[in-house]
């Protein structure tokens, strides 16, 4: 059963990919959802056995690489962390598969699309079920490959090409850091197997021999390893600095956006942090870095989402912001709360993306919110879905998002550290902005006076049944799943996680957070409701007048331009970093190395000279013994003469310079003769 959880999406992918012409679109849309759905049912069974019955298991299939001390095998680990991710991935993937049947029904390449979706799911399952870092890296890279294929599915569009290539290149930066981290782990521990690795960490954490000195500062190797692993998470989970690929990934079909941004690819980095919790717990400096980066990401993405006009980009930046919450929750050693928010986020974020796809589909593929509005009566079902998803996203009381986001902010304050309080206040301000842009999205898309084309309004229609019914599951998850699972997953004294997540006793702050004053606990809720109230004032009571007046001021215009241009990250990367790399490639690599050094020593340079000289010398091979004897005598005389001459001038000139001078004379003589 456990093996079928992983293999069934692969079977569906191969069937739709290789036999799509024979089974057609109907066959592909039948086989792939069924395979993923059966995998979801098996995942539910695994959740009951592993998490609820506390019966984790692992098994080894076969040896993969066995050379000297390298013993990499192909095996699977099913613990509480794994089965939670299995539920999330297979559930969201099943819903996206069903939704795609209706959304992509007119696409002639539907079998290929369904094959890519199932293959994406397979590699994600490989990633979360791996019992070693090498196998995890295979799933990691497989997910990146499938994301390229899915983002670039409409490959005739130039922007889709650019977005897919950008996603690959930016993720390669993070993957390079991850590779260095894995190599460092193998160098230090001589293993990449999770069980062995995590058992050895406590014995090496305080080893003085594992530290080195740079500029008078002592650095621990374990800290460097954790930082490199975190760089991998930064790339995959789109943290600030390596986030630029995520909004551009919206160029792919909407089901792809839901699958990538909801529960799968972008959460791989958070999963890596939770999986490697025994490593990070013994590297407190690395945890501080994780906290600051996560908090800055949550704040940065929220400010950028305030001024975006593309419907899918607003939701994409909200994903980036929520990933920041998950990351800094790991930074304050609350990996369980981070995974809890990951699972909750998957439901309401998938609901938002699929509802946005419905709006775009209804308005003839229009994504600009300024060209929407007035469709609340035309698509009431979609409006209800998106409204519930937005409320859950902003952490409205007693919805799913409230229980995890509120817990993260309370724990950040309860850590009573500088990094924890920094994350708390940035997260709280981000919660205010989240509520604001969520209500802005609802108003501009549904309530505002319509700015859409007449043809789009006349052709607007609500979701068909095949697209609408799967959203009911997401609505249920967005409303109830947080309340139903809170005490089980993050409750005080719960044994749900077992050994899947490790937290040092001094980092357990959940007890301190329980006894925080109610005034502190209410701050995130007050800020969220304040964001809703401000959005209501600016957009409903006095529509757009106050905003227009503010944008006409110097400060307002600078404020808008700064956030609208995404803190100038793209400008800096494109105009400075990329241009410098291109100039180095042209001036340094191409002109100096390729057209310079290689040409000098290449077939048109020194090698050609030596070849011609050798060709002339080969004519001396007549095959007569007395000729060879004469040449040997001449050679002996010349050698003795050369040695004597070298000894004579060695007092003044180095022998290497003499040899170089000798070959230079031959080279100059050749070119003088040819010219």
């Amino acid at each position: 059963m456990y093996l079928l959880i992983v293999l069934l999406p692969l079977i569906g992918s191969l069937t739709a990919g290789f036999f799509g012409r024979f089974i057609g679109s109907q066959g592909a849309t039948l086989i792939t959802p069924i395979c993923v759905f059966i995998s979801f049912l098996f995942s539910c069974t695994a959740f009951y056995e592993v998490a609820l019955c506390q019966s984790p298991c692992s098994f080894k299939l076969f040896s993969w690489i066995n050379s000297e001390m390298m013993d990499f095998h192909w095996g699977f680990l099913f613990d509480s962390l794994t089965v939670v991710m299995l539920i999330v991935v297979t559930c969201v993937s099943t819903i996206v598969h069903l939704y795609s049947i209706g959304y992509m029904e007119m696409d002639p390449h539907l079998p290929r699309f369904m094959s890519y979706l199932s293959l994406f799911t397979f590699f994600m399952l490989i990633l979360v079920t791996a019992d070693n870092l090498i196998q995890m890296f295979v799933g990691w890279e497989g997910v990146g490959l499938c994301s390229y294929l899915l983002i670039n599915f409409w490959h005739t569009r130039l922007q889709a090409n650019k977005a897919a290539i950008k996603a690959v290149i930016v993720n390669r930066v993070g993957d390079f850091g991850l590779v260095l981290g894995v190599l460092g782990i193998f160098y230090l521990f001589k293993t990449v197997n999770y069980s062995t690795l995590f058992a050895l960490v406590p014995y090496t954490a305080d080893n003085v021999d594992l530290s080195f000195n740079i500029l008078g500062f002592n650095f621990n190797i374990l800290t460097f390893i954790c930082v490199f692993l975190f760089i991998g998470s930064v790339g995959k989970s789109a943290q600030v600095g390596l986030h630029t690929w995520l909004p551009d990934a919206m160029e792919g079909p909407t089901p792809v956006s839901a699958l990538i941004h909801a529960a799968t690819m972008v959460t791989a980095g958070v999963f890596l942090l939770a999986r490697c919790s025994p490593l990070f717990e013994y590297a407190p400096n690395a945890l501080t870095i994780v906290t600051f980066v996560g908090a800055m990401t949550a704040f940065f993405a929220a400010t950028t989402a305030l001024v975006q006009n593309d419907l899918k980009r607003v939701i994409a930046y909200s994903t980036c912001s929520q990933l920041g919450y998950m990351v800094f929750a790991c930074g304050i050693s609350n990996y369980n709360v981070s995974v809890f928010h990951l699972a909750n986020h998957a439901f309401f974020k998938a609901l938002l993306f699929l509802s946005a796809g419905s709006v775009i589909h209804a308005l003839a593929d229009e994504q600009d919110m300024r060209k929407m509005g007035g469709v609340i009566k035309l698509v009431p079902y979609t409006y209800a879905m998106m409204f519930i998803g937005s409320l859950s996203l902003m952490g409205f009381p007693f919805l799913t998002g409230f229980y995890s986001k509120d817990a993260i902010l309370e724990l950040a304050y309860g850590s009573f550290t500088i990094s924890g309080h920094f994350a708390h206040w940035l997260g709280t301000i981000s919660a205010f902005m989240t509520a604001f842009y969520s209500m802005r999205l609802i108003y501009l898309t549904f309530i505002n006076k319509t700015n859409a084309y007449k043809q789009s309004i006349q052709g607007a229609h609500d979701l068909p049944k095949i697209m609408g019914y799967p959203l009911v599951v997401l609505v249920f998850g967005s409303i109830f799943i947080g309340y139903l699972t809170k005490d089980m997953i993050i409750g005080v004294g719960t044994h749900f996680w077992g050994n899947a997540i490790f937290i040092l006793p001094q980092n357990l702050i959940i007890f301190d957070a329980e006894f925080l004053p109610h005034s502190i606990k209410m701050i995130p809720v007050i800020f969220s409701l304040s964001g809703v109230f401000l959005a209501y004032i600016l957009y409903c009571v006095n529509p757009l007048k106050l905003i227009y007046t503010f944008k006409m001021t110097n400060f307002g215009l600078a404020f808008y331009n700064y956030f609208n241009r995404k803190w100038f990250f793209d400008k800096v990367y494109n105009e400075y970093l990329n241009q410098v790399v291109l100039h180095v490639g042209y001036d340094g690599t191409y002109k100096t190395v390729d057209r310079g050094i290689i040409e000098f020593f290449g077939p048109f340079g020194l090698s050609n000279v030596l070849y011609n000289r050798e060709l002339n010398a080969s004519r001396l091979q007549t095959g007569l013994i007395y000729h060879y004897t004469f040449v040997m005598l001449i050679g002996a005389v010349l050698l003795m003469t050369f040695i004597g001459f070298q000894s004579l001038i060695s007092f003044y000139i180095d022998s290497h310079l003499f040899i170089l001078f000798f070959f230079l004379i031959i080279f100059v003589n050749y070119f003088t003769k040819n010219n």
Side-chain angles (χ1 to χ4, degrees):
M1 182 191 72
Y2 292 99
L3 192 58
L4 285 175
I5 294 175
V6 180
L7 292 181
L8 278 172
L10 178 62
I11 295 172
S13 175
L14 295 178
T15 304
F18 288 102
F19 303 101
R21 291 188 177 184
F22 304 100
I23 62 178
S25 298
Q26 292 184 350
T29 55
L30 181 65
I31 293 175
T32 52
I34 289 176
C35 289
V36 178
F37 179 68
I38 296 174
S39 179
F40 167 69
L41 296 179
F42 286 156
S43 300
C44 294
T45 306
F47 180 84
Y48 172 78
E49 293 181 354
V50 174
L52 300 184
C53 297
Q54 290 293 304
S55 300
C57 66
S58 63
F59 55 92
K60 177 180 176 181
L61 287 183
F62 53 86
S63 183
W64 187 11
I65 301 174
N66 191 355
S67 175
E68 298 291 336
M69 297 189 66
M70 289 187 183
D71 186 14
F72 305 149
H73 61 266
W74 198 274
F76 298 92
L77 171 65
F78 291 87
D79 57 7
S80 298
L81 179 60
T82 299
V83 294
V84 169
M85 293 298 297
L86 288 179
I87 290 288
V88 173
V89 172
T90 54
C91 179
V92 175
S93 182
T94 302
I95 292 170
V96 169
H97 274 76
L98 294 174
Y99 184 90
S100 301
I101 297 174
Y103 191 88
M104 304 289 291
E105 62 179 349
M106 302 303 295
D107 197 291
H109 305 290
L110 182 57
R112 177 165 62 91
F113 182 77
M114 303 301 289
S115 176
Y116 289 167
L117 287 182
S118 295
L119 188 63
F120 187 98
T121 307
F122 165 72
F123 279 117
M124 191 66 198
L125 296 178
I126 289 290
L127 191 154
V128 301
T129 58
D131 70 342
N132 61 83
L133 288 168
I134 300 298
Q135 186 178 334
M136 185 275 299
F137 188 73
V138 172
W140 189 279
E141 291 299 308
V143 167
L145 170 65
C146 292
S147 69
Y148 171 81
L149 297 175
L150 287 169
I151 296 170
N152 200 29
F153 178 75
W154 290 324
H155 53 83
T156 56
R157 299 174 59 207
L158 180 60
Q159 292 302 320
N161 285 315
K162 291 181 178 179
I165 294 172
K166 188 176 184 179
V168 170
I169 294 175
V170 174
N171 275 279
R172 291 293 76 76
V173 178
D175 295 348
F176 181 70
L178 179 60
V179 169
L180 292 179
V182 174
L183 292 177
I185 288 174
F186 185 78
Y187 169 78
L188 184 60
F189 299 99
K190 302 299 183 293
T191 183
V192 292
N193 191 43
Y194 288 148
S195 57
T196 309
L197 168 64
F198 298 154
L200 294 174
V201 172
Y203 300 100
T204 58
D206 299 326
N207 193 343
V208 182
D209 297 332
L210 299 178
S211 60
F212 55 94
N213 189 282
I214 299 179
L215 300 176
F217 297 95
N218 288 323
F219 295 94
N220 190 273
I221 295 180
L222 193 60
T223 301
F224 265 77
I225 289 173
C226 291
V227 169
F228 284 132
L229 292 177
F230 178 59
I231 291 174
S233 298
V234 168
K236 194 68 74 177
S237 291
Q239 298 299 288
V240 64
L242 298 179
H243 67 279
T244 55
W245 69 271
L246 191 67
D248 292 345
M250 296 296 100
E251 296 297 332
T254 300
V256 174
S257 303
L259 194 61
I260 291 178
H261 295 72
T264 50
M265 181 176 173
V266 294
T267 58
V270 180
F271 170 79
L272 177 64
L273 296 178
R275 175 61 75 195
C276 296
S277 56
L279 282 170
F280 283 89
E281 285 298 288
Y282 290 99
N285 294 329
L287 284 179
T288 303
I289 296 173
V290 172
T291 305
F292 276 101
V293 172
M296 285 301 303
T297 303
F299 179 75
F300 153 75
T303 57
T304 307
L306 288 174
V307 296
Q308 294 298 308
N309 296 312
D310 189 288
L311 177 60
K312 290 172 67 175
R313 284 183 179 266
V314 174
I315 307 175
Y317 277 107
S318 76
T319 300
C320 193
S321 180
Q322 298 304 308
L323 288 169
Y325 281 96
M326 303 175 202
V327 169
F328 81 69
C330 293
I332 58 175
S333 298
N334 280 275
Y335 311 94
N336 52 348
V337 184
S338 176
V339 177
F340 180 52
H341 190 55
L342 185 156
N344 293 345
H345 171 264
F347 288 98
F348 58 76
K349 187 52 56 74
L351 180 62
L352 282 172
F353 268 113
L354 297 183
S355 300
S358 173
V359 176
I360 296 169
H361 196 66
L363 296 178
D365 297 329
E366 180 61 63
Q367 295 185 198
D368 195 333
M369 293 188 298
R370 295 170 297 182
K371 299 179 182 179
M372 298 181 182
V375 295
I376 185 172
K377 295 182 180 179
L378 301 176
V379 287
Y381 184 83
T382 303
Y383 167 72
M385 299 292 106
M386 183 164 282
F387 187 71
I388 294 172
S390 299
L391 290 178
S392 188
L393 169 66
M394 69 178 68
F396 195 81
F398 311 115
L399 295 184
T400 290
F402 166 77
Y403 293 99
S404 53
K405 181 188 287 188
D406 193 69
I408 290 174
L409 295 175
E410 288 180 13
L411 291 166
Y413 190 91
S415 65
F416 296 106
T417 59
I418 296 176
S419 59
H421 281 202
F422 176 79
H424 169 79
W425 288 110
L426 278 190
T428 303
I429 297 171
S430 302
F432 167 81
M433 291 185 288
T434 301
F436 181 87
Y437 67 68
S438 296
M439 288 298 101
R440 173 177 177 265
L441 182 148
I442 294 295
Y443 175 81
L444 293 180
T445 306
F446 297 99
I447 302 174
N448 189 27
K449 293 181 180 179
T450 183
N451 289 318
Y453 295 108
K454 185 178 180 181
Q455 295 83 353
S456 301
I457 294 295
Q458 289 178 341
H461 58 279
D462 219 332
L463 288 171
K465 294 181 180 180
I466 190 65
M467 298 169 61
Y469 288 156
L471 300 188
V472 176
V473 179
L474 298 177
V475 168
F476 177 84
S478 301
I479 298 176
F480 299 109
I481 200 71
Y483 171 77
L484 296 175
T485 59
K486 177 179 180 294
D487 292 330
M488 177 180 66
I489 294 180
I490 64 171
V492 177
T494 181
H495 297 285
F496 176 82
W497 296 105
N499 295 325
I501 289 176
F502 175 76
I503 303 175
L504 287 173
Q506 60 264 32
N507 293 334
L508 284 172
I509 57 178
I510 190 169
F511 301 100
D512 297 326
E514 286 288 329
F515 296 99
L516 287 176
H518 288 287
S519 58
I520 300 298
K521 293 185 176 183
M522 290 298 295
I523 288 176
V525 179
I526 294 173
F527 270 68
S528 295
L529 296 178
S530 300
V532 174
F533 180 74
L534 180 62
Y536 176 77
I537 295 296
L538 294 180
Y539 288 98
C540 297
V541 176
N542 194 0
L544 306 181
K545 291 183 180 180
L546 293 175
I547 298 176
Y548 180 78
T549 305
F550 176 72
K551 287 175 64 175
M552 289 298 101
T553 62
N554 292 331
F555 174 77
L557 186 61
F559 177 89
Y560 180 82
N561 287 334
Y562 184 72
F563 290 145
N564 190 46
R565 301 189 69 175
K566 308 144 192 172
W567 289 31
F568 296 101
F569 273 103
D570 289 297
K571 182 178 178 63
V572 171
Y573 287 162
N574 294 333
E575 295 187 8
Y576 296 99
L577 184 61
N578 295 349
Q579 291 299 321
V580 169
V581 172
L582 290 174
H583 281 302
V584 170
Y586 179 74
D587 295 330
T589 305
Y590 176 70
K591 293 180 67 176
T592 305
V593 178
D594 189 21
R595 297 296 300 273
I597 298 174
I598 295 178
E599 289 293 335
F600 179 79
F601 292 100
F604 300 102
L606 188 59
S607 64
N608 191 28
V609 175
L610 296 177
Y611 175 76
N612 291 330
R613 296 304 183 194
E614 292 171 358
L615 187 64
N616 294 328
S618 66
R619 297 172 182 173
L620 298 175
Q621 299 180 6
T622 61
L624 302 175
I625 295 178
Y626 61 88
H627 284 175
Y628 293 161
T629 305
F630 179 75
V631 171
M632 291 173 63
L633 291 174
I634 295 296
V637 172
L638 291 176
L639 179 62
M640 295 177 64
T641 305
F642 179 79
I643 293 173
F645 184 68
Q646 183 189 11
S647 300
L648 181 64
I649 67 171
S650 61
F651 294 99
Y652 307 100
I653 303 174
D654 186 74
S655 60
H656 298 86
L657 294 176
F658 175 72
I659 296 172
L660 182 61
F661 178 73
F662 177 75
F663 282 104
L664 186 61
I665 290 175
I666 296 175
F667 186 72
V668 171
N669 181 40
Y670 172 78
F671 274 100
T672 305
K673 184 179 178 181
N674 289 341
N675 293 330

